[in-house]
Amino acid sequence: MLSRFADDYLGALGNHDFRPQPKISGRLASYDGMLMEAVGLSLPVGTVCAIDGTGGQRVEAEVIGFRAGRTLLMNLGGPAALLPNSPVRPVGPPGEAEVGSALLGRVVDGSGKPIDGLGTIRGAGHWPLAGQMQNPLDRGRVLKPMDVGVRAINGLLTIGQGQRVGIMAGSGVGKSVLLGMIVRAAEADVVVVGLIGERSREVADFLETKISGEARKRSVVVAVPANHSPVLRIRGALRATAIAESFRAEGKKVLLIMDSLTRVAHAGREIGLALGEPASARGYPPSAIAMLPSLIERAGTCVSSGGSITAIYTVLADGDDGNDPVVDSARSILDGHIVLSRHLAEQGVYPAIDLGPSVSRVMTDIAAKDHVAAARVLRRHLATYEENRDLILMGAYKAGADPAIDAALACHPAVMEYIKQDADAVVPLPEAIAELTGVFGDG
């Protein structure tokens, strides 16, 4: 009996594919508060490591590159009491995000850890942080309009399902308020919000005022405030996009909100300069600007699944400069941009949408001909008024001298009334079109 048990037990052990894995560990050789250098490690970029400090403290860092036989890491947390030769060991594989319906209604940080006090997220799937390369021919056209509840956007800058749009403005002009209006009214199966590099106060405010109630149940929020590590800020943007991609693969209509794309570029600038990359335009190294297309191009429609990601990015124009490198790069990649004017905001016009430089590149594909014609009439009247504004205000223009100016003067109150909208009001797409064609449909 004993011999048979021994034979069976030892035989089972012999057939088991046991492959012992060595414990990888290195030593901290350099640390300046953010960038670390470790020796004795050979790990892929993106691997998360733990560094043991004094008093039982531990700080996490991510591998971001290599130099002269040393592994370069970026601090993911705050300051820690680290000493030379502190042990460095890998604790997580690179490049995966938790995704799926288990995340609905939850708030996570850049590392995917829940910060809403609702406990551990269970039953989540996994998706590559960097996304999956998509064949350009698998990317469908934008053919259906999307109702965002904002009259000026629905009527004059109609957004389509799968479109990528930027909201561009300086600080304090109303980007976040406009985002909140869109989130509350947008018709989408899932809303994924990435609050990247913004004020910590805005996170709680966004949750309580923008996506409260029923909207919260179909939303996923990735929050990485401005005081977090630049690596975490970039990871937060990648994580939000990966979550949206996973829902799109299920055939769902996803709205991806990212506030803001500029803060992601700022994080890339910090990392690039820490690695010794030369600064170019406005202090941005080439890698920081080159990162934007790879992030934005992940949104859009998918032919195989039938799902779509409609992405809206806020872009901060530093110093109200429309030629800022991030603004200029984003404008060239996106499928449309909405420019907010400080001049209109100072006049009390909200949302302060400057229709002149704003454009939706897919509007002619998704809107009816009479709708497009009426929008062009409104734009023409507004442009004529702005071109002759000084003459009109000085009293140098006499009525009847130019029929186009007379028409612009007569229509200007209706134009401004169409653009204005209270922050808590919702104007559906059919209503916005009916108002536009009713007033400006005759040319």
Side-chain angles (χ1 to χ4, degrees):
M1 174 72 108
L2 184 61
S3 62
R4 189 174 65 181
F5 170 77
D7 291 340
D8 294 343
Y9 179 72
L10 293 177
L13 285 179
N15 295 329
H16 184 69
D17 187 15
F18 177 71
R19 298 179 182 178
Q21 298 292 330
K23 185 176 180 180
I24 301 173
S25 180
R27 293 289 173 180
L28 187 65
S30 172
Y31 177 44
D32 62 3
M34 183 169 64
L35 187 66
M36 307 177 184
E37 296 186 11
V39 295
L41 280 176
S42 179
L43 299 170
V45 171
T47 304
V48 178
C49 297
I51 301 98
D52 296 329
T54 59
Q57 288 184 318
R58 194 181 89 160
V59 64
E60 290 189 347
E62 181 178 323
V63 177
I64 60 172
F66 312 96
R67 180 191 297 147
R70 292 186 173 189
T71 301
L72 305 180
L73 306 98
M74 186 73 76
N75 189 358
L76 291 178
L82 300 179
L83 295 174
N85 295 320
S86 295
V88 181
R89 61 182 185 279
V91 294
E96 277 197 336
E98 292 76 20
V99 298
S101 58
L103 273 76
L104 293 176
R106 303 302 301 269
V107 184
V108 300
D109 63 7
S111 300
K113 300 174 182 175
I115 57 175
D116 51 10
L118 300 178
T120 305
I121 298 174
R122 303 185 184 278
H126 292 87
W127 193 272
L129 269 179
Q132 297 177 350
M133 188 63 69
Q134 192 175 24
N135 187 327
L137 298 180
D138 291 336
R139 182 66 57 84
R141 295 179 60 201
V142 178
L143 298 174
K144 295 181 180 179
M146 184 173 191
D147 190 352
V148 296
V150 181
R151 184 193 295 109
I153 298 178
N154 279 341
L156 304 171
L157 300 164
T158 312
I159 293 177
Q161 296 176 19
Q163 185 177 358
R164 292 86 50 87
V165 182
I167 299 178
M168 302 174 176
S171 56
V173 186
K175 297 187 299 298
S176 297
V177 175
L178 180 56
L179 271 186
M181 296 171 68
I182 293 173
V183 169
R184 279 195 300 269
E187 295 181 347
D189 299 325
V190 179
V191 178
V192 180
V193 181
L195 301 176
I196 312 299
E198 296 298 320
R199 296 178 289 274
S200 298
R201 176 191 63 80
E202 287 191 342
V203 177
D205 181 74
F206 201 96
L207 292 174
E208 293 178 9
T209 62
K210 309 300 190 300
I211 53 173
S212 58
E214 290 297 319
R216 181 76 176 270
K217 298 178 181 179
R218 60 187 177 101
S219 303
V220 182
V221 179
V222 181
V224 191
N227 61 336
H228 285 217
S229 161
V231 176
L232 275 182
R233 278 177 264 155
I234 292 178
R235 269 183 168 254
L238 296 175
R239 187 173 298 277
T241 308
I243 293 171
E245 284 179 320
S246 71
F247 283 116
R248 179 181 62 185
E250 297 176 7
K252 294 183 178 180
K253 185 167 60 174
V254 184
L255 175 64
L256 172 63
I257 300 288
M258 192 166 296
D259 186 14
S260 75
L261 193 66
T262 304
R263 305 301 187 191
V264 178
H266 287 178
R269 178 171 62 184
E270 292 180 43
I271 294 175
L273 295 178
L275 287 172
E277 193 175 349
S280 53
R282 300 287 182 88
Y284 287 97
S287 63
I289 303 299
M291 175 178 57
L292 300 181
S294 61
L295 184 65
I296 295 172
E297 278 296 311
R298 293 169 62 180
T301 59
C302 180
V303 174
S304 58
S305 69
S308 66
I309 300 176
T310 306
I312 300 179
Y313 305 91
T314 63
V315 185
L316 176 65
D318 290 332
D320 288 350
D321 184 6
N323 294 318
D324 179 83
V326 178
V327 175
D328 193 48
S329 177
R331 188 166 47 217
S332 66
I333 305 165
L334 294 167
D335 302 321
H337 48 274
I338 300 168
V339 180
L340 303 186
S341 167
R342 191 175 298 276
H343 176 68
L344 289 175
E346 290 171 351
Q347 293 179 353
V349 178
Y350 289 100
I353 298 175
D354 190 352
L355 291 175
S358 301
V359 65
S360 173
R361 297 179 180 175
V362 303
M363 181 174 175
T364 54
D365 296 330
I366 61 177
K369 290 184 178 180
D370 59 338
H371 175 191
V372 175
R376 287 174 177 169
V377 170
L378 186 150
R379 282 176 172 271
R380 185 173 68 244
H381 288 324
L382 182 59
T384 302
Y385 181 87
E386 293 297 332
E387 288 173 3
N388 299 276
R389 182 186 183 88
D390 293 339
L391 287 175
I392 296 169
L393 294 179
M394 290 190 313
Y397 176 74
K398 294 183 180 180
D402 189 326
I405 299 178
D406 292 339
L409 274 171
C411 293
H412 190 67
V415 171
M416 300 311 294
E417 193 63 30
Y418 189 83
I419 296 174
K420 290 181 182 179
Q421 183 177 330
D422 292 336
D424 56 352
V426 176
V427 180
L429 180 63
E431 183 179 330
I433 296 173
E435 289 185 34
L436 180 67
T437 54
V439 179
F440 301 97
D442 297 329

